[in-house]
Amino acid sequence: MGRIAAACARSGRNPGDVRLVAVSKTMAAERVRELIQAGHLLFGENRVQEALLKIDAVEPGPEWHFIGHLQKNKIRHAIGKFALIHSVDGQEMALVLDRRCRAEGMVQPVLLQVNQAAETTKHGIRPEDLPALAAEVEGCAGLDLQGLMSIPPPEKNPEDSRRWFAGLRTLRDRLGPELGRELPELSMGMSDSYPLAVEEGATLVRVGTALFGSRQV
Ligand SMILES: *Cc1c(COP(=O)(O)O)cnc(C)c1O
């Protein structure tokens, strides 16, 4: 998408450092196939069952990311299907996922989902609890912590989203030294805000409506 390249140019970033996750939730497999044929190979889904059906329905090749809340009873179905799980949002879920991954002899790349504004309607770890969870996940042999994800509160004026994106970057930048290594990924920005997120350092933007049109459900 040209708007990502333009945002990179404005902020002095390398466009190769930003990946577009096409959020195909609720969209038929046919719509995914159209994008694959146009050369797009990274998709995001927020429900395990729906994702697995779609993954089976389209040709192998694209990378699939899980971006929704992962219920404990769905974890075993999700193992091995997603190149990245954006939404590890608590200790219990992290430990169950870790145990499952180790049992399968695999290492699952993950992000920690941060609930930046401590909204009661949203999943995610509160910023003050992030260091402890990150340290715990870092110690999980079945998980590979790659960075942070956030769904900030909607803002009437999109420009107001910028502070949330900058805030997530700051959290990530502080966490790195605490863990003794850099965390490469920042998953932030959706249809209404992704150019701003790119300007503030996003490495993964999750875009649904702006690519597929509005959802019917
Ligand atoms: C649906 C969804 C998106 C995409 O939202 P749009 O506004 O359609 O771009 C991004 N992230 C998550 C976690 C979602 O559930």
Side-chain angles (χ1 to χ4, degrees):
M1 288 186 115
R3 294 183 69 193
I4 292 178
C8 285
R10 282 195 297 278
S11 52
R13 298 190 61 206
N14 176 356
D17 293 341
V18 183
R19 288 190 292 160
L20 171 65
V21 181
V23 177
S24 49
K25 64 185 184 194
T26 79
M27 295 296 156
E30 189 51 39
R31 303 289 312 279
V32 173
R33 261 188 233 114
E34 287 167 13
L35 272 195
I36 295 173
Q37 270 146 29
H40 189 78
L41 292 172
L42 174 54
F43 296 91
E45 288 281 341
N46 70 338
R47 289 172 199 274
V48 173
Q49 242 69 23
E50 181 186 343
L52 297 185
L53 288 172
K54 243 174 264 183
I55 291 170
D56 281 345
V58 303
E59 54 267 58
E63 185 173 311
W64 293 85
H65 289 188
F66 192 76
I67 63 170
H69 175 62
L70 188 52
Q71 290 169 302
K72 256 196 308 173
N73 63 347
K74 300 281 165 55
I75 285 179
R76 66 197 164 92
H77 302 290
I79 299 290
K81 301 290 185 181
F82 299 99
L84 184 65
I85 295 177
H86 291 223
S87 46
V88 170
D89 56 14
Q91 185 197 42
E92 195 193 3
M93 188 262 199
L95 295 182
V96 175
L97 185 60
D98 174 52
R99 189 162 4 101
R100 278 278 169 191
C101 289
R102 283 187 287 116
E104 300 287 330
M106 67 160 288
V107 179
Q108 173 68 60
V110 296
L111 308 180
L112 300 183
Q113 180 173 347
V114 185
N115 186 351
Q116 289 181 275
E119 292 167 278
T120 52
T121 52
K122 274 183 192 154
H123 292 284
I125 190 89
R126 295 188 180 204
E128 61 270 29
D129 298 328
L130 181 61
L133 180 63
E136 180 111 32
V137 168
E138 190 73 347
C140 290
L143 304 179
D144 172 18
L145 178 59
Q146 303 245 316
L148 303 181
M149 178 271 226
S150 170
I151 311 169
E155 299 286 357
K156 276 201 213 79
N157 175 4
E159 181 66 31
D160 292 340
S161 297
R162 188 186 288 281
R163 66 193 169 107
W164 297 114
F165 299 140
L168 193 71
R169 187 187 63 217
T170 301
L171 287 174
R172 191 272 313 260
D173 291 349
R174 275 195 208 133
L175 208 49
E178 286 174 25
L179 299 175
R181 67 182 181 90
E182 284 186 19
L183 293 172
E185 303 285 7
L186 268 183
S187 168
M188 56 189 193
M190 319 203 316
S191 288
D192 57 354
S193 59
Y194 69 92
L196 290 170
V198 169
E199 288 182 30
E200 296 300 330
T203 60
L204 292 158
V205 291
R206 310 177 309 266
V207 179
T209 314
L211 273 172
F212 288 102
S214 58
R215 289 178 286 274
Q216 297 305 308
V217 275

